[in-house]
Amino acid sequence: MLASLVSILSLMLSTLLMMVAFGLQSYVVPVRAVAEGWSTQTISMIATGYTIGFTLSCIVTPKFILLVGHVRVFVALITLLAVGILLCALVVDWRAWMLFRAISGFAISGSYLIIESWLNERVTNENRGSVFSIYLITTMVGTIGGQYLVPLGDPSNTTLFILCGIIFSIALLPTALTSSPLPAPPTQARFNVPKLYRRSPVAVVGAFLAGALSGAWLNLGGVFTQRTGLSTAEGATLLACVLLGSALSQIPIGRASDRMDRRLVMVACGIVGTVSCLVMALVSGGPPVLLYVVAAFVGSVIFPIYALNVAHANDRAQPDEYVEVSSGMMIVYGFGTISGPLMVGPIMDRFGPGALFMVLAVYFLLYGAYAAWRISRREDADGLVSKTDYQAMAVQPLGADAAAAALQPDAVSEDLVEDTTTPEWRQP
């Protein structure tokens, strides 16, 4: 265990710094957009640029890694992260921000992919759970810490943007200078979404809805905090509560889904999400402490549900199909994240910030209802090959984990079949 930690120490330090900058970026961008007087629909268009870049990177980045290796691509991507946020400070125009945010989305997705594939190669089945738990804590602490940097500056000027760019730049140093062995070149993955849907409709539909939920929240949650009158510190706390709720619920949800029909857990998550979002919509503008508590309940299901769909899809796959399943689910999830901000932005403009949670409630209702309908249509064991293990995923999910898994097909197959207690990052 100690040897594994030493071998990834520089990578963990880079990850911590990257996530501090990411947390700062993910909050300062919507705060500045609101300060500029841009409509929620305009901000959602900017967010769509980010999600398109993120999804595209899941497909393209493995090809770059194959050509020049992990470290060179990682350095290039971190550089793009710094460039993307600095350009936002230099050119304050929403049309330009769509492009700049697409650059950031592309870069952060590829960075996740490299980090997770690197970790997959450095750990064993015996220490995988411990190492990925450390990774999960590192990313959560970094993200929350970065969000709390916003109250220390003024988003209406360039200071916080420059600080974010500096932290991104520093983040590449530990990994760029590491002497640890590098991961092996990746194996290209295939994906076949129609085949995946025929085998597991609930997994595909659920992945799309999970993407729409997380895409809408991650890109418009900061707008909600600003337009409900919360201070930047209160807004950072609310966003942190969502992440904390997600981190705390991953393992209980996973253990429950490993012991019963996963679709029943999907139904339960749909109910919790629907009720929590409706309550959040009703109390928006209320006491901050009440908002924090309800936000934690929303977070407890908004991110973990994607892992449920991945596990269910793998339940109906042969071991040599896990890579194909991961790739297909990643693409479906990515399209969901693109649709989320586009759907929610205009509704928030028309009905106010609380409408964000009304739409999320509808998504959760559809998620749970479809799973319930599929239970009535097919038995749990119908077409089952072997039940795989649920793997907890990142609190900033946007599909990078699936791409990372696709880089290590042999390790993925071994994990899913043999490792019964592994909490693993997924992603925003």
Side-chain angles (χ1 to χ4, degrees):
M1 174 65 180
L2 183 59
S4 295
L5 290 178
V6 170
S7 69
I8 62 171
L9 183 60
S10 60
L11 183 62
M12 286 295 95
L13 181 55
S14 285
T15 301
L16 176 63
L17 292 168
M18 184 186 79
M19 295 311 295
V20 168
F22 176 81
L24 173 58
Q25 170 189 268
S26 63
Y27 194 21
V28 75
V29 167
V31 170
R32 177 61 180 272
V34 171
E36 289 295 324
W38 296 339
S39 68
T40 308
Q41 183 172 1
T42 298
I43 298 172
S44 69
M45 292 291 292
I46 297 170
T48 301
Y50 176 90
T51 54
I52 290 174
F54 200 111
T55 304
L56 180 64
S57 181
C58 294
I59 303 170
V60 173
T61 299
K63 301 182 186 300
F64 287 118
I65 299 173
L66 189 63
L67 290 174
V68 299
H70 288 74
V71 171
R72 287 189 178 93
V73 177
F74 186 71
V75 170
L77 292 173
I78 296 294
T79 302
L80 284 177
L81 282 170
V83 169
I85 192 65
L86 291 174
L87 284 172
C88 287
L90 186 63
V91 183
V92 185
D93 181 275
W94 72 267
R95 288 169 288 267
W97 275 31
M98 282 188 66
L99 174 60
F100 303 156
R101 295 297 289 152
I103 292 172
S104 295
F106 184 94
I108 196 70
S109 175
S111 299
Y112 286 157
L113 189 156
I114 291 172
I115 293 168
E116 293 166 16
S117 63
W118 199 323
L119 287 176
N120 265 317
E121 186 167 295
R122 287 290 166 267
V123 300
T124 64
N125 280 340
E126 288 72 26
N127 64 22
R128 186 179 303 273
S130 300
V131 171
F132 271 90
S133 294
I134 293 171
Y135 177 41
L136 183 65
I137 293 169
T138 300
T139 56
M140 185 174 70
V141 169
T143 303
I144 293 175
Q147 290 170 347
Y148 277 107
L149 291 178
V150 176
L152 303 180
D154 184 359
S156 64
N157 61 40
T158 61
T159 304
L160 290 174
F161 290 84
I162 294 173
L163 175 62
C164 188
I166 291 172
I167 299 173
F168 273 133
S169 299
I170 295 173
L172 66 83
L173 296 179
T175 300
L177 300 175
T178 184
S179 59
S180 300
L182 304 182
T187 300
Q188 296 298 307
R190 302 166 296 164
F191 56 90
N192 187 332
V193 175
K195 176 183 176 181
L196 185 60
Y197 178 81
R198 290 192 297 270
R199 180 170 293 175
S200 181
V202 72
V204 174
V205 173
F208 181 86
L209 291 172
L213 282 160
S214 64
W217 170 251
L218 289 173
N219 290 289
L220 297 175
V223 177
F224 170 83
T225 66
Q226 291 296 295
R227 296 204 163 144
T228 51
L230 296 177
S231 68
T232 50
E234 290 169 341
T237 301
L238 187 143
L239 297 178
C241 286
V242 173
L243 297 181
L244 184 61
S246 175
L248 294 176
S249 67
Q250 294 258 8
I251 300 304
I253 288 176
R255 292 191 182 280
S257 75
D258 286 341
R259 288 165 172 75
M260 65 179 71
D261 187 342
R262 296 195 205 277
R263 296 170 300 174
L264 291 174
V265 183
M266 294 178 194
V267 173
C269 288
I271 293 172
V272 171
T274 301
V275 173
S276 299
C277 287
L278 289 175
V279 172
M280 194 70 171
L282 291 174
V283 302
S284 61
V289 174
L290 179 59
L291 294 178
Y292 302 156
V293 173
V294 181
F297 278 97
V298 174
S300 70
V301 288
I302 196 169
F303 295 139
I305 57 175
Y306 175 70
L308 283 174
N309 295 290
V310 173
H312 189 270
N314 280 322
D315 288 345
R316 304 182 183 281
Q318 298 287 352
D320 61 356
E321 295 176 323
Y322 290 150
V323 177
E324 183 176 337
V325 168
S326 294
S327 301
M329 293 292 284
M330 172 190 68
I331 297 303
V332 172
Y333 187 89
F335 280 114
T337 63
I338 294 170
S339 71
L342 286 176
M343 292 291 293
V344 177
I347 296 175
M348 288 179 69
D349 263 343
R350 182 173 177 83
F351 298 103
L356 168 64
F357 287 96
M358 296 299 294
V359 178
L360 295 185
V362 172
Y363 282 146
F364 273 120
L365 180 62
L366 292 173
Y367 181 88
Y370 188 77
W373 182 69
R374 290 306 307 176
I375 291 174
S376 69
R377 297 282 295 177
R378 184 161 74 176
E379 295 295 329
D380 181 40
D382 183 15
L384 186 68
V385 176
S386 61
K387 192 162 189 178
T388 57
D389 299 314
Y390 174 97
Q391 298 181 48
M393 294 177 176
V395 292
Q396 294 284 356
L398 282 174
D401 66 300
L407 294 181
Q408 298 291 341
D410 295 332
V412 169
S413 298
E414 184 178 6
D415 276 353
L416 293 171
V417 174
E418 296 180 8
D419 188 5
T420 60
T421 60
T422 299
E424 186 169 334
W425 172 285
R426 167 178 108 60
Q427 159 224 264

